[in-house]
Every structure is written in structure tokens, then in C-alpha cells.
Amino acid sequence: MTKMLSTVAVLLAGTMLVSAAPAFAAQGSVEQADPSEPDASDATADAAIAAAQPTDDSQSKIELLQAQVEALQSALEDIQKGMAKVTPSWKGAPVIEDKEAGFSFKPRGAIQADAGYVGFPDGKERRGTVGGLNYQNLGWNSRFRRLLFGADGTLPGGFRYSAEFNFAQGSIDYEDIFIAYDFQKLPLTVQVGNIYPFSSLETMTSSKFTSMMERASITDAFNYNRRLGVGLTFSDKKADSWLFQAGLFNEPVNNGNFTRTGWQASMRGVYMPLLGTTRLHLGANFQHRQNTRENLVAQYRTRPLTQITDQRFVDTGNLAAKGDDVAGLEFAAIRKGIHLAGEAQKVWVRGTYDAADIAAIVAQTDSNQAFPANAVPLNGNPGFWGGYAEIGYYFTGETRGYKGGKFDRTKVLKPFNEGGMGAIQLNGRVDYVKLSDRVDGSSTAVAAPFYVNGGKQLGYQASLIWNPTDYVRFMAQYGRLDVTGGPRAATVDPTSLRPVSKRNYNVDTFAVRAQIDF
């Protein structure tokens, strides 16, 4: 297109020169006459001088052609501006943007392909399902962890939107789907749609940028899923030094039924000053959750540091309860190529039911409350907790990306496609979750246990990450699990004389991932 515009300009300039040629030719012919000849009269000289001057008609044509050239040049500039509006830029994917109209559109998505190994407890390989543990789903496996496709952008009026869907495992799962508005004169952003309730640093950080293949065990165990609701974010948009988030949410949008009486209220605050070259992150969060009246249970469980298996070694089962409260603390620090991060969270199960309570509610034919058949009655309200601590280092000089109270994309200093080696990062983490607790309530119902044997899981993890470019990532991860108690302990060690809640065994895991996002 640029070549065509240049050609048009050259042709126009040529036309103007050709039109002016007669005038210059006339001038040249006059200059060939020799006025010094003796027989040249004054009249002849005057006639020659007059002939050398352009006529009024020629001058008008020149001015007209100049005006036409200027008009065409203006038209060409308008065309170039229009081309700039619709020509896409590139941010991992083409971005179509019209800044004057406030409109933009960008496809987005990610592909995460995982493969790996989940060992058999204490190396005891079996077949079939024993004590609820499906040995067939241990060992080597592979899967698409995520196949995300969607789009985000802006709309006239200052609105933003995002919609993303996960097609992994041959089903459709709803990811971030929301409309947002950023106030220009207030430090406030409003989001409405399917988003993560404001809960923890790991939860709020995108899975594309986490230091391990899966988020910390507390995220999985304490049931942090996207929910349909409204969220408010107050933040220091200029210095990015603080934020406060609050939201009210209904059930996860994937619950396709109409009994959506459960809800959640969340709050999160982060102070994140930049101290010289060190970014500090200090945060706290709190969630109040109410279970659906038609399904008054809460279950807490987590996988063994990877999702290439569906088996869980720690699991409370379905506890009959109205809801829970969760509180957490967050810490992180980033200085050049080194980062530190850690969190701790505690969940208090609230409003548990003993066997007599459940029987009385079930007997009420007009009750709007219900329990699943496998709901576990309790004699009190148990509490569980967990957390993690990690350290990471870039050998290639990068600094871990951080923005808006969460880890973000890291800028590769020497991309592979430009002759560099990309970014190489090594991470280590200790991960812990305890889903066992003694409950000492006032009930004396024999059928209700006084102890929840969900088990304890201590994990040691190491990951090596290579980012050849900003949008491509390869990961390798090893994990060692130390499990105490839980629903599988009796199966793994059936001859032990120790109480089931104190029986201990180990599991090794290894996994790799290939990822591209845009």
C-alpha cells in the first residue's frame, strides 16, 4: 500500500511538470534570441520579453494543479490514518484497536500440555481400587491441563470485557467472563461476571505465570473457584503501591442447576511498596462462605502437587455444615533475579450438624434444607490450615513480573528468536496442608465422630522453567510427598498397629509441561 501511495505522488508531480513545460520552453526560446543585433528594434525586444512571461491562462493551470496535488496529498494522509486505525499491532496475538473510538479486540488463550508420573504410596504397586484409592490412575499419565480460547478488549465509554473458555478434557469450562469499568477520576475498578473471589496471592496469579505447575495445595484444598458476582478494586493506579478488593459472589457458574442459594463475601488488601529495587508484597484476605441450602456439605481435599491424576491422599469427605470462614496472610519480595513468596491460611468450618440434627431436618417434609446421603455428622466445628514458602532465581538476569498485587508475565531479556537463550528460572517450595482436627462439641451423639481424619500432606517441590520467549514456556517439576493419616492410610499400611491418623507414607511425583499463551 505504501508503494502504491508513493507511485501516485510521483505521477502527480510528473503531471504538474509536464503541464508547466510549454511555459519553460517559451522562456528558453526567447533566451536564444540575441537582442544585441543591430537590426533589433525596441518593439521586437518588448515582444520577446512579453513572450517570455507565462500567460494568465498558464498560471491558472499551474495553480489549479498545485491545488489538486495538495488535495490528493491530504486525501492520502487521511487514508494512511485510517490504515493505522485498522492495522493490528501484536501483543502475543493481533490487537485491532481504534483509540479514538475506544474500541479494541484481542484474541487470547493458552495451551498447556502435561505429562508425568505419580508414584505408588511407599512404592507398593497394585491394580484396581483398594480402600477408595484407584491404583489404575497412578503411575505415568498425560493430559491437556488447559485449552483456553477467548478474547478481551475495550468498548466505547471506557468499558473493558473478557471472555475465556477451557476446552480441555472434551468439556467446556468457564474461565474469566466479565465486564469491567475503570473510573478515571476515582481509584476504582468494578467487575461484574465470573471471576475469582479475592482470596490469595496464588489464586489471583494467573496459572500461566505460577512458579509451579499447580497452585499451592491450600488453593485446591480450600475450594477456590471462580464464581458469578461483582467485585470492587480500589488501587493506587500510578505508583501501584496498594490495593483493596471486596466482592459479593454467588455459586460457581459451572453449577448448571437453579438451586443457587450459596454465596460468598471476600475481602483482600495488599501493601506493595517499591523500596529501591525491591518490590515488597504484604497482604491479608478473608472469605465468608455459605453453603447451598439444598446441599449442606463442605469437602476439603487436594491432589498430590499435580493434576495428571484424579486421586487424593488427603480428603475430609463431605462434612455436614452451613459454611466456613477463611483468613489468610500473604508475603512476597522481588529483588532483581531473586523472589521470595509465602502464604498461610486457616479455615474454620461453621455450623456443623450432628446425626440428630440431620435426622430432624430430613424428617421435615417441608424443609428447604437437604444433605447428600454421604454427609458426615460432627460433634463440633473443625478447623484446617496450610501454607507454603518458596524461593526462586533467574540465572539469565530477568526479574519476576509483578503487577496489581499478583505475579505477572516476565519480560525475557534475550529471546531465543533473537539469538539469545531465553530466561531460565529455578524454584524451590515447601507446601503443607492439614485436613485433620479434633472436634470437642457439646453433642454426645455416638454416631458423630469427634475427629476429622482428612490427613496431613507435606510436599517438597523443585521446578526448572525455560522461557525461550515471553509467550512460550517449558517446565519440569519434581515433588516429594509425606502423607500422615487420611482416608488412604489404612489401605497403604493395613498391618500397622499405629492409629490410622498417625500412619505415614511417601509418594514421589514428576511432571513436565509445554505451554504457549497469547
Side-chain angles (χ1 to χ4, degrees):
M1 184 66 182
T2 302
K3 184 177 181 181
M4 183 185 73
L5 296 176
S6 300
T7 303
V8 172
V10 170
L11 291 173
L12 291 172
T15 302
M16 182 180 71
L17 291 173
V18 170
S19 301
F24 293 121
Q27 183 177 3
S29 64
V30 173
E31 289 175 353
Q32 291 176 3
D34 188 356
S36 64
E37 291 185 4
D39 58 345
S41 63
D42 293 340
T44 304
D46 292 341
I49 294 172
Q53 301 298 324
T55 64
D56 292 341
D57 185 57
S58 299
Q59 184 65 36
S60 298
K61 290 181 179 180
I62 292 173
E63 292 176 355
L64 176 62
L65 286 172
Q66 289 176 338
Q68 290 175 340
V69 170
E70 292 175 357
L72 287 171
Q73 183 63 38
S74 177
L76 290 176
E77 291 176 357
D78 292 340
I79 292 173
Q80 289 176 331
K81 290 180 181 179
M83 289 176 60
K85 287 183 179 181
V86 299
T87 301
S89 59
W90 187 267
K91 294 181 181 179
V95 182
I96 301 173
E97 186 174 19
D98 186 340
K99 293 183 179 180
E100 293 182 5
F103 171 83
S104 68
F105 176 85
K106 176 185 177 295
R108 62 176 298 173
I111 299 174
Q112 295 177 340
D114 293 359
Y117 176 84
V118 177
F120 299 90
D122 281 344
K124 299 175 181 178
E125 184 173 350
R126 299 182 182 181
R127 287 292 176 263
T129 301
V130 182
L133 178 59
N134 186 354
Y135 284 82
Q136 296 293 113
N137 290 356
L138 300 179
W140 292 98
N141 208 339
S142 63
R143 68 178 296 198
F144 275 115
R145 179 65 179 90
R146 293 178 178 89
L147 291 174
L148 305 178
F149 296 97
D152 57 22
T154 59
L155 295 171
F159 294 93
R160 292 187 290 113
Y161 66 91
S162 182
E164 194 171 47
F165 305 88
N166 186 5
F167 295 88
Q169 315 314 311
S171 61
I172 299 178
D173 191 17
Y174 299 93
E175 300 287 315
D176 287 335
I177 304 175
F178 64 82
I179 299 172
Y181 184 80
D182 301 303
F183 287 83
Q184 299 301 313
K185 297 183 179 180
L186 295 174
L188 172 63
T189 295
V190 179
Q191 287 177 285
V192 179
N194 191 57
I195 61 176
Y196 269 117
F198 310 119
S199 51
S200 72
L201 174 60
E202 277 278 280
T203 305
M204 304 312 295
T205 296
S206 169
S207 62
K208 300 187 290 289
F209 312 133
T210 54
S211 55
M212 301 293 166
M213 288 177 59
E214 299 298 333
R215 294 184 174 97
S217 295
I218 53 174
T219 305
D220 191 21
F222 296 162
N223 303 314
Y224 293 143
N225 297 310
R226 292 177 178 84
R227 288 173 174 246
L228 188 62
V230 57
L232 307 178
T233 297
F234 299 87
S235 63
D236 177 13
K237 297 180 181 178
K238 292 183 179 180
D240 198 24
S241 61
W242 62 268
L243 67 80
F244 176 78
Q245 298 170 303
L248 185 63
F249 305 90
N250 195 220
E251 294 284 321
V253 71
N254 289 328
N255 290 356
N257 55 56
F258 292 93
T259 55
R260 304 174 62 85
T261 54
W263 58 275
Q264 172 176 344
S266 297
M267 293 187 298
R268 179 175 181 251
V270 179
Y271 178 56
M272 42 190 174
L274 187 62
L275 307 177
T277 59
T278 301
R279 172 71 71 177
L280 193 63
H281 174 108
L282 300 173
N285 54 78
F286 177 78
Q287 290 77 234
H288 175 84
R289 301 186 291 195
Q290 191 76 17
N291 294 333
T292 303
R293 290 196 305 266
E294 294 80 9
N295 194 38
L296 288 168
V297 295
Q299 184 177 20
Y300 307 90
R301 58 181 184 168
T302 186
R303 303 194 199 205
L305 308 178
T306 176
Q307 291 212 17
I308 59 173
T309 181
D310 62 348
Q311 299 302 288
R312 280 91 166 176
F313 299 114
V314 290
D315 186 348
T316 64
N318 285 326
L319 306 180
K322 292 181 179 179
D324 60 24
D325 296 302
V326 189
L329 297 175
E330 311 170 17
F331 168 80
I334 307 171
R335 180 179 175 84
K336 297 182 179 180
I338 299 176
H339 84 271
L340 303 172
E343 295 190 73
Q345 290 203 329
K346 171 87 175 191
V347 56
W348 294 269
V349 182
R350 185 185 69 257
T352 54
Y353 297 87
D354 63 21
D357 294 331
I358 294 176
I361 292 174
V362 171
Q364 298 175 13
T365 57
D366 60 344
S367 175
N368 62 357
Q369 296 176 301
F371 303 90
N374 59 351
V376 178
L378 293 173
N379 273 309
N381 298 329
F384 313 116
W385 73 280
Y388 69 92
E390 76 170 45
I391 183 171
Y393 177 71
Y394 276 102
F395 295 101
T396 46
E398 284 79 7
T399 298
R400 187 170 185 185
Y402 179 93
K403 183 180 180 181
K406 58 188 177 182
F407 291 117
D408 206 278
R409 187 184 305 279
T410 296
K411 178 66 177 178
V412 178
L413 297 179
K414 297 179 180 180
F416 188 72
N417 60 302
E418 297 179 6
M421 64 184 304
I424 300 176
Q425 182 189 30
L426 179 65
N427 302 285
R429 172 182 286 186
V430 177
D431 184 286
Y432 179 78
V433 63
K434 180 177 180 288
L435 301 181
S436 296
D437 191 32
R438 183 171 297 280
V439 290
D440 297 315
S442 59
S443 174
T444 59
V446 178
F450 288 86
Y451 189 80
V452 178
N453 181 32
K456 295 181 289 184
Q457 178 174 289
L458 176 63
Y460 304 94
Q461 295 174 270
S463 71
L464 184 64
I465 303 175
W466 176 44
N467 285 89
T469 69
D470 293 349
Y471 297 92
V472 180
R473 169 183 272 206
F474 298 95
M475 303 179 67
Q477 174 182 304
Y478 169 77
R480 172 77 169 181
L481 284 178
D482 184 85
V483 182
T484 302
R488 315 301 178 210
T491 299
V492 174
D493 194 1
T495 61
S496 174
L497 299 179
R498 302 180 67 189
V500 174
S501 61
K502 297 185 180 299
R503 298 182 192 182
N504 179 270
Y505 58 91
N506 301 106
V507 178
D508 291 301
T509 69
F510 173 76
V512 293
R513 169 176 292 173
Q515 171 184 305
I516 182 171
D517 75 279
F518 54 88

